[in-house]
Amino acid sequence: MLDINFIRENVETVKQGMINKGEKEPELVDQVLAKDEEWRAFVHKLDTLRSENNAKAKQIGMLMGQGKKEEAQAIIKETGQFKEEVKALEEKERILSEERDSLLYKIANVPHPSVPVGHTEDDNDVFATWGTPNNEEWRKPHWEIVERYGWVDFERGVKVTGAGFPFYVGPVAQLQRALINYFINEGVAAGFTELQAPYFVNEDSARGTGQIPDKEDMMYTIPRDEFFVIPTGEVPVTNYHRDEILKESDLPINYVCHTPCWRREAGSYGKDVRGLNRLHQFDKVEIVKIVKPETSYEELESLRDHAEKLLQALELPYRTLLMCTGDMGFTQTKKYDLEVWSPGQQRWLEVSSCSNFESFQARRMQLRYRKDGKSTEMVHTLNGSALALPRIVSAILEAYQEENGKVRVPEVLKPFFGREYL
RNA sequence: GGAGAGGUGGCUGAGUGGCUGAAAGCGCUCCCCUGCUAAGGGAGUUUAUCUGGAAACAGGUAACGAGGGUUCGAAUCCCUCCCUCUCCGCCA
């Protein structure tokens, strides 16, 4: 969420940001300010009343201490009305602040000035392209390749769990494991701290990174134990420092973490979900950065750069999109998507999304740092995939296949295989 | 899962109904003293939020695991939940 004081001082910027992101109700900005005004008036009233009440209680205490019971009794009589009044105001204050917060949760993060204004994916900027897409006719989509060799077992996945939960078999299982290893190793080599995280989180964590309220339908839940199954490693890793005040010298903090990700993907269909394109469970290596505000845009570039280098090392042609205002999420200020070329399908597949959230998540999480050893300030958080798995597997299968059907092992993965072909 | 003990500030740790937002110690910051080092002296040191103020700051409110309750008044009493530790059980 945004800082209410920031909204108050930047009404038009925030509203325009909502409009540019295609949010339907920019008037929420006015509503939250009105509600905040109302809340502040109430708080003032309530605090004054409490203050008077506290003074009386103190006085009673003193009189009792001196043995002046009668005088004390007289004041106790006076306090009766206060009590009910305070209670009523407290209730009202609670409702008002809840109403204000629920409005505040609906105010979108403001896009950075460098982000192109636009409504659809056609308005995204192509920030970079790398490599030359293979377009030979003989190249097959990955689902044909894996079927031919029995490398991914969709049917048994359906039997054991359901659609979208395949088994990876033999060489492809090995390929996936090698990729995870490679990505983590590269993260560690870049100086990031490797983390292994829980796959279930509690409600506070789901709220901290913004999965609830609003996007709860994307997550699987464990109702009996009140857990949410993580849709991305971003959730546990960013929440790792929730409710903390970090030292300035701790920053920047960089984590690399592999987790499976579970997404319900309700309503998906067609070519989008064919083969490994979209699954209910997939693996991902995630980078999370916790940084000082003044460095967050440099950090975003370095995050994007890190992810791009991985694709380059795998020699997979890709393009990097700078997402326009309308095509980026509610919580981000700036976002790059990396799309790898899928020569078997003749389309781009999103394999990474690198975002700056500025203090939007930090404020929800009360994640701050102490500046100059004095005041506290919200940190900025960023995250990005480096990289998302099954689609990289697809791209490798399709790009490294040879006309005779064999699939070569990418050079950088050879240490994990010790052979030329899958 | 069962039984018991406990959760207080950056840390240790006092506090069983009233001038306690919290003793004391440690740590940390600033100042003084000091040829250097060591030692010593003084001041400061939770967070959020509201009001006033350009600001420095001043004042109020809330918070002692979380949420409810009793009371004029709760860190302190009662209830529910969470977590930690010890023992038992189970287990990779």
Side-chain angles (χ1 to χ4, degrees):
Chain A
M1 68 180 153
L2 287 172
D3 180 5
I4 186 77
N5 296 314
F6 175 84
I7 298 175
R8 196 181 307 135
E9 286 155 23
N10 300 277
V11 183
E12 285 315 310
T13 313
V14 175
K15 244 190 233 177
Q16 193 58 47
M18 298 271 287
I19 293 166
N20 290 346
K21 278 192 170 180
E23 294 291 328
K24 289 153 300 218
E25 303 179 276
E27 64 272 16
L28 283 168
V29 175
D30 298 314
Q31 290 171 21
V32 74
L33 288 176
K35 191 57 80 176
D36 183 55
E37 207 58 49
E38 201 183 337
W39 171 79
R40 286 187 0 244
F42 249 90
V43 164
H44 195 57
K45 215 193 265 184
L46 175 61
D47 282 358
T48 309
L49 202 64
R50 275 170 169 163
S51 172
E52 289 170 34
N53 208 9
N54 287 348
K56 290 223 154 83
K58 215 164 219 182
Q59 215 177 338
I60 292 165
M62 258 191 291
L63 291 169
M64 298 289 257
Q66 294 163 7
K68 298 177 181 168
K69 287 220 170 106
E70 312 232 321
E71 287 176 49
Q73 278 305 326
I75 300 176
I76 288 175
K77 265 183 199 146
E78 288 176 35
T79 59
Q81 53 192 333
F82 268 123
K83 223 188 147 183
E84 277 166 39
E85 225 176 311
V86 167
K87 225 169 200 170
L89 284 184
E90 270 174 354
E91 179 63 10
K92 179 77 180 166
E93 187 271 336
R94 192 183 58 78
I95 291 168
L96 280 174
S97 70
E98 272 173 19
E99 286 173 346
R100 183 197 59 171
D101 288 347
S102 75
L103 287 169
L104 199 49
Y105 275 131
K106 292 180 186 160
I107 308 293
N109 206 354
V110 181
H112 191 261
S114 62
V115 170
V117 175
H119 302 292
T120 68
E121 54 185 281
D122 300 328
D123 299 319
N124 297 332
D125 274 1
V126 178
F127 178 84
T129 55
W130 188 90
T132 313
N134 301 317
N135 289 320
E136 297 93 329
E137 294 239 327
W138 55 265
R139 288 188 185 273
K140 296 182 168 43
H142 66 272
W143 53 83
E144 289 184 21
I145 303 169
V146 299
E147 196 186 350
R148 171 168 169 193
Y149 295 111
W151 281 347
V152 179
D153 196 331
F154 292 99
E155 289 77 13
R156 289 196 176 93
V158 169
K159 175 178 73 180
V160 171
T161 302
F165 292 91
F167 283 76
Y168 304 91
V169 183
V172 163
Q174 190 182 1
L175 173 62
Q176 186 141 241
R177 179 163 53 85
L179 284 164
I180 292 165
N181 249 309
Y182 176 67
F183 293 156
I184 293 175
N185 287 350
E186 290 301 301
V188 170
F192 306 159
T193 303
E194 181 177 354
L195 229 47
Q196 288 191 347
Y199 299 158
F200 305 158
V201 296
N202 58 31
E203 191 181 329
D204 285 343
S205 296
R207 184 170 291 106
T209 30
Q211 276 67 35
I212 55 173
D214 241 29
K215 290 194 271 178
E216 42 222 325
D217 284 348
M218 86 186 297
M219 290 184 289
Y220 290 97
T221 57
I222 315 274
R224 183 167 173 181
D225 298 291
E226 296 181 313
F227 291 138
F228 294 89
V229 183
I230 59 169
T232 158
E234 164 197 352
V235 180
V237 176
T238 313
N239 275 284
Y240 185 55
H241 290 291
R242 172 156 52 80
D243 287 321
E244 291 183 17
I245 300 176
L246 303 165
K247 289 201 267 283
E248 190 168 4
S249 58
D250 291 338
L251 304 177
I253 292 173
N254 294 293
Y255 292 120
V256 56
C257 179
H258 157 249
T259 69
C261 304
W262 289 270
R263 297 185 184 177
R264 297 184 60 238
E265 305 289 6
S268 301
Y269 61 91
K271 68 176 171 23
D272 275 357
V273 302
R274 193 86 193 264
L276 298 173
N277 286 349
R278 179 165 299 181
L279 301 167
H280 287 307
Q281 173 179 313
F282 63 96
D283 287 81
K284 185 152 64 73
V285 174
E286 185 80 356
I287 307 282
V288 169
K289 285 175 172 282
I290 299 171
V291 307
K292 288 199 251 180
E294 59 269 26
T295 65
S296 68
Y297 284 92
E298 295 162 37
E299 293 280 4
L300 178 63
E301 298 307 315
S302 109
L303 177 56
R304 175 191 49 68
D305 195 55
H306 179 80
E308 286 189 12
K309 289 264 160 56
L310 298 176
L311 288 169
Q312 291 170 18
L314 289 167
E315 300 178 69
L316 293 172
Y318 69 89
R319 65 176 188 180
T320 303
L321 302 177
L322 172 55
M323 308 305 277
C324 74
T325 52
D327 205 23
M328 90 178 136
F330 178 84
T331 55
Q332 295 117 15
T333 61
K334 187 170 183 177
K335 173 168 118 168
Y336 291 105
D337 272 8
L338 273 57
E339 298 185 331
V340 72
W341 179 250
S342 160
Q345 304 177 64
Q346 293 290 302
R347 59 188 287 228
W348 299 99
L349 296 175
E350 181 188 335
V351 290
S352 178
S353 184
C354 303
S355 310
N356 189 355
F357 300 88
E358 293 197 6
S359 58
F360 203 80
Q361 291 182 326
R363 189 162 295 102
R364 281 187 178 212
M365 286 191 288
Q366 284 300 300
L367 173 49
R368 294 155 289 173
Y369 79 106
R370 191 171 300 284
K371 199 176 181 175
D372 308 321
K374 284 188 190 165
S375 57
T376 60
E377 189 177 344
M378 296 296 167
V379 299
H380 282 190
T381 58
L382 303 93
N383 67 54
S385 352
L387 296 161
L389 261 293
R391 289 181 186 165
I392 295 288
V393 170
S394 321
I396 288 174
L397 291 172
E398 294 175 10
Y400 281 83
Q401 66 182 309
E402 296 180 346
E403 216 167 345
N404 60 13
K406 289 169 90 176
V407 180
R408 265 193 314 118
V409 173
E411 199 58 36
V412 290
L413 299 182
K414 284 207 177 130
F416 300 95
F417 280 85
R419 59 181 194 269
E420 284 289 311
Y421 291 91
L422 284 190

